[in-house]
Amino acid sequence: MDYPRGLAGVVVDQTKISSTAGAHLTYAGYPIEELSEASFEEVVFLLWNTRLPNEQELYDFRADLVSKMVLPSETIRLLLYIAKEPQHPMSILRTTTSLLGTTNDVEHDEPPKILAKMLTAIAAILRIRDNEPLIDVDPNLNVVENFLYMIKGKRPDRKLTKMFSSVMILQADHEFNASTFTARVVASTFADYYSCLTAAVSALKGPLHGGANERVFEMIEEIEKEQIDPKDFVELQLKKKRKIMGFGHRIYKNGDPRAFILEEIAAELAPETGNKQYLKIQQALAKYMLERFGLHPNVDYYTALIYHCLGLDKSVFTMIFATCRTAGWLAHIMEQRRENCLIRPNSEYVGPTNQHYLRKESEEDYK
């Protein structure tokens, strides 16, 4: 039998959370182009409830999330050791996510508290790795403002907050992507939330999924450092049979709708942060890839530059992606748990057949 590789095109379940039908990304029916102008808290509420909050609900939800952006003391104590280990930051996050599921009364942790702790834990990892003191949450700031504040140590202005909020919203969910499907498989066993998130983080670590943004920036760094024409770089990579990262998508053949919005953010942020040259390289590379192969940039392409403009090291790009995607993971975990159905697909066996075991003579047989 002929099966599609990687389940491409196979519908494995139903969801009310997000859709890529018609190559248009929607969250609970709302176009991503419109939601990118909303607040992060509104979109999280939408993903979890499949409806937007009213004014009072939004106020209460935001206050609840911010109030829970505090880590248990024992978690901080262990993080001070774990985060300094010479491992990839995603390995640190994988261990930290599991660690969050072992402290205090976690059996009763609900999604708002879990999301809040994940955001704070990621900020703490970044601060510890930079040998900077941890920053306490500010109850007067919203979730995105607090996250940026806890990373950088200074309160962000409204413009930067708005741009990063859009980035977080655009990456919050994307149907049954690899890490989300992984989380749903684990959730279908009725494992706890932290086990599901740990599995999702592990899936996101791979360079063909979340790790692609790190490799995108390595690519434009190399072009800038070696002063190579982007066209020549592409041809050289093809001769070496290497993949050009950040282009193409299984679903979006005419362009990733998220990338169009992210390009605008990168175009505004790069000149303001002294990264105009990187932007010019990306734009030239994108133009050539479209002309030469008909390939458009995907979500990883411009987020790589945006993260760099925020002063983040490329090694932590995927961890920031996890910051954005945790809200969506939790939405799918909740939905899968409500379904109460174990995910257990079949497979086609293609190995050897008609094998038979012949009992070997033992030492006793020789006596």
Side-chain angles (χ1 to χ4, degrees), residues 299-339:
V299 69
D300 300 303
Y301 193 65
Y302 290 110
T303 49
L305 178 55
I306 292 169
Y307 291 162
H308 174 73
C309 290
L310 292 173
L312 298 167
D313 185 79
K314 62 177 180 281
S315 66
V316 305
F317 285 2
T318 309
M319 192 163 63
I320 300 300
F321 191 173
T323 304
C324 310
R325 187 53 60 85
T326 299
W329 287 336
L330 287 167
H332 283 273
I333 292 167
M334 286 186 278
E335 185 176 65
Q336 187 63 50
R337 287 163 69 95
R338 287 194 296 269
E339 285 195 10

Side-chain angles (χ1 to χ4, degrees), residues 110-123:
E110 292 297 324
K113 186 174 183 179
I114 296 169
L115 173 60
K117 288 203 294 185
M118 282 288 285
L119 295 176
T120 304
I122 291 170

Side-chain angles (χ1 to χ4, degrees), residues 223-239:
I223 295 173
E224 164 64 14
K225 182 180 179 181
E226 302 297 331
Q227 291 295 294
I228 309 172
D229 185 289
K231 297 179 182 179
D232 295 335
F233 177 83
V234 170
E235 298 303 326
L236 181 62
Q237 296 303 300
L238 292 177
K239 285 181 181 179

Side-chain angles (χ1 to χ4, degrees), residues 6 43 47 70 75 112 172 186 263 340 363-364:
V43 172
L47 292 172
V70 179
T75 300
V186 180
E263 182 182 7
N340 192 21
E363 290 184 6
E364 291 295 324

